[in-house]
């Protein structure tokens, strides 16, 4: 995410069009500025980030307010898909045409760009952002470090969500209770598969779906371990940093997941589901249990979709199922990760006016006034204040769905969500308060010679073999040996333990 020329819009459009035509992505560039923002003397700032399909409106009131207040002309380039976006940023970095402010996709991406010399070390500039540093706090800010240099400004706040959702109307039809244990979850999933829960006289339903191994997050959690993906392997147990792949409960957890697969209750396409495929099947009435976050299932627009497909459908949240010893955990939360990492290209050290405007902008967005603008919209239009309490207006509900694209400093996640989506507050609170294992992977910088993408791909491929019976669990130790010898995983773990020890984790 090299140095001596300003990122030109025309070049970006050409590069992005070429790149996105190759990878099938979609990009949107919006410059919906007010006349004031275009006035002489405004500083043009190009921003790029992943939008996950959100678009900027033609009447972009947030841009107009920021342009006028800050003396800038803010242009956002949005890419809907993360993989497409990362490829685009890498192309721009190679041609020395990075945006003025841009999101990196994670710590490995940040490290790669930092080591290539593309990024500005922001350490000496933090003092220019007192509101941001206070708002984010030292624990958040250190998430942007690479080799003890501040190469990114992390967004404050972190979503705490995801749990199993289940069709209550199917439970009622089969006279079943919501499952509370892993064994009960399997029994209900089996009933949903075999006993015609939708009473349509057809054998056309499955018990459980999801996107690859995320489907089974709460089952891993029932054994006190985490999923197998990057960002969810390292955690503290009994005062020591452990890795879920080496945990003595891993084989037991995999054997349990294999029971679900062998029973035929799992969506046959679970390992190939991408995007909204799993959710679409659930909404269409093909599956009765899904691991999902509240926003994807209970927001008004989502309810309209599944109610439209079946007015009798009723989805409810489940607490994560308990394991053999009573342990329960929903999806883990990577406390070393962040809602976003903003980087600035090194060339801006030679453009002090633009750099100062960017720092000023991020600092303003960390103030109560700036934060309310990018969280809720315009005061007395999209929200009102009752003392210090924000109340969203009908206009705010209709028009402010895009404003998160300007939340460069982050937000206080749970309270923000409960305010903005008051009708869903109980669901937000439920997921925020579930037990979760806190993982540390986001703090770790990969050592030389370790390729995280290759190692993670190998791990996923081998785990699929274990749960689908292509490899026996008696071969698990052989899998670990190959991971260490072929993919330098032991080197990674030695480095990770040392780094985390320096941060105060695993000292005992």
């Amino acid at each position: 995410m090299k140095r001596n020329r300003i990122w030109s819009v025309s070049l970006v459009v050409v590069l992005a069009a070429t790149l996105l035509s190759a990878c099938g992505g979609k990009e949107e560039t919006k410059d919906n500025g007010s006349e004031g923002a275009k006035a002489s003397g405004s500083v043009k700032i190009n921003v790029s980030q992943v939008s996950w399909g959100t678009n900027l409106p033609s009447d972009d009131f947030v841009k107009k307010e920021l342009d006028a207040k800050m003396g800038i002309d803010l242009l956002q380039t949005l890419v809907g898909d993360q993989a497409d976006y990362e490829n685009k940023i890498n192309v721009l970095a190679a041609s020395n045409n990075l945006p003025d402010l841009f999101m990196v996709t994670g710590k490995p991406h940040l490290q790669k760009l930092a080591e290539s010399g593309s990024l500005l070390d922001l350490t000496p500039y933090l003092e220019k952002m007192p509101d941001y540093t206070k708002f984010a706090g030292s624990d958040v800010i250190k998430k942007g470090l690479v080799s003890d240099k501040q190469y990114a400004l992390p967004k404050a706040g972190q979503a705490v969500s995801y749990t199993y959702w289940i069709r209550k109307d199917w439970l009622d039809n089969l006279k079943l209770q919501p499952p509370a244990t892993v064994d009960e979850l399997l029994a209900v999933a089996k009933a949903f598969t075999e006993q015609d829960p939708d009473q349509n006289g057809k054998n056309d339903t499955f018990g459980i779906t999801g996107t690859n191994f995320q489907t089974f997050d709460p089952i891993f959690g029932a054994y006190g371990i985490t999923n197998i993906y990057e960002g969810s392997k390292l955690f503290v147990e009994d005062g020591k940093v452990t890795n879920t792949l080496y945990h003595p409960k891993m084989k037991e957890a995999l054997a349990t997941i294999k029971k679900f697969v062998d029973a035929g209750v799992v969506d046959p396409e679970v390992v190939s589901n991408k995007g909204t495929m799993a959710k679409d099947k659930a909404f269409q009435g093909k599956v009765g249990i899904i691991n999902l976050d509240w926003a994807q299932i209970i927001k008004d627009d989502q309810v309209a979709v599944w109610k439209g497909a079946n007015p009798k459908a009723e989805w409810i949240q489940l607490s994560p199922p308990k394991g053999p010893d009573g342990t329960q955990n929903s999806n883990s939360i990577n406390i070393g990760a962040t809602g976003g990492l903003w980087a600035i290209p090194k060339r801006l050290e030679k453009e002090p006016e633009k750099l100062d405007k960017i720092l000023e902008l991020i600092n303003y967005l960390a103030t109560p006034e700036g934060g309310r603008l990018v969280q809720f919209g315009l005061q007395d239009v999209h929200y009102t204040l009752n003392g210090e309490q924000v109340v969203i207006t009908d206009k705010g509900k209709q028009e402010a769905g895009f404003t998160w694209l300007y939340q460069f400093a982050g937000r206080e996640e749970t309270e923000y969500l409960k305010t903005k989506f008051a009708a869903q507050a109980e669901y937000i609170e439920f997921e925020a308060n579930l037990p979760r294992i806190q993982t540390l992977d986001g703090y770790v910088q990969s050592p030389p010679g370790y390729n995280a993408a290759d190692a993670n791909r190998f791990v996923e491929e081998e785990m699929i073999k274990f749960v689908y019976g292509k490899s026996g669990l008696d071969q698990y130790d052989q899998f670990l040996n190959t991971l260490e010898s072929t993919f330098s995983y032991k080197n990674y773990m030695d480095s990770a333990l040392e780094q985390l020890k320096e941060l105060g984790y695993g000292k005992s």
Side-chain angles (χ1 to χ4, degrees), residues 146-281:
V146 174
S147 300
D148 297 323
K149 292 184 178 181
Q150 193 76 40
Y151 282 112
L153 300 173
K155 293 175 68 171
Q158 191 170 18
V160 185
S161 59
Y162 276 86
T163 193
Y164 277 139
W165 290 75
I166 192 168
R167 283 285 294 268
K168 183 179 183 300
D169 55 311
W170 286 13
L171 290 171
D172 293 343
N173 287 344
L174 299 177
K175 296 180 172 52
L176 297 172
Q177 294 298 312
T181 67
V182 171
D183 288 342
E184 290 176 6
L185 182 72
L186 177 56
V188 169
K190 190 173 177 63
F192 280 2
T193 304
E194 300 174 351
Q195 297 179 25
D196 191 21
D198 57 358
Q199 299 180 337
N200 69 350
K202 299 177 182 179
N203 182 22
D204 59 355
T205 57
F206 284 97
I208 189 168
T209 191
T211 302
N212 214 323
F213 275 85
Q214 188 187 55
T215 307
F216 310 113
D217 259 313
I219 297 177
F220 284 112
Y223 290 89
I225 60 176
T226 64
N227 207 327
I228 53 92
Y229 288 132
E230 178 185 9
S232 63
K233 295 191 189 77
L234 302 173
F235 59 98
V236 174
E237 183 179 69
D238 298 329
K240 296 181 180 180
V241 174
T242 188
N243 183 317
T244 199
L245 297 177
Y246 294 90
H247 199 282
K249 293 285 188 179
M250 175 53 82
K251 293 181 186 179
E252 192 175 349
L254 291 174
T256 298
I257 293 169
K258 187 174 185 298
K259 285 183 183 179
F260 279 74
V261 173
D262 290 346
V265 305
V266 178
D267 172 9
E269 300 173 322
V270 71
V271 298
S272 60
N273 283 338
K274 299 182 185 301
T276 64
M277 289 173 61
K279 184 177 74 170
D280 293 343
K281 293 173 188 177

Side-chain angles (χ1 to χ4, degrees), residues 328-339:
Q328 60 180 156
N329 288 287
S330 194
N331 299 48
S332 61
I333 178 170
N334 185 353
I335 63 172
T338 175

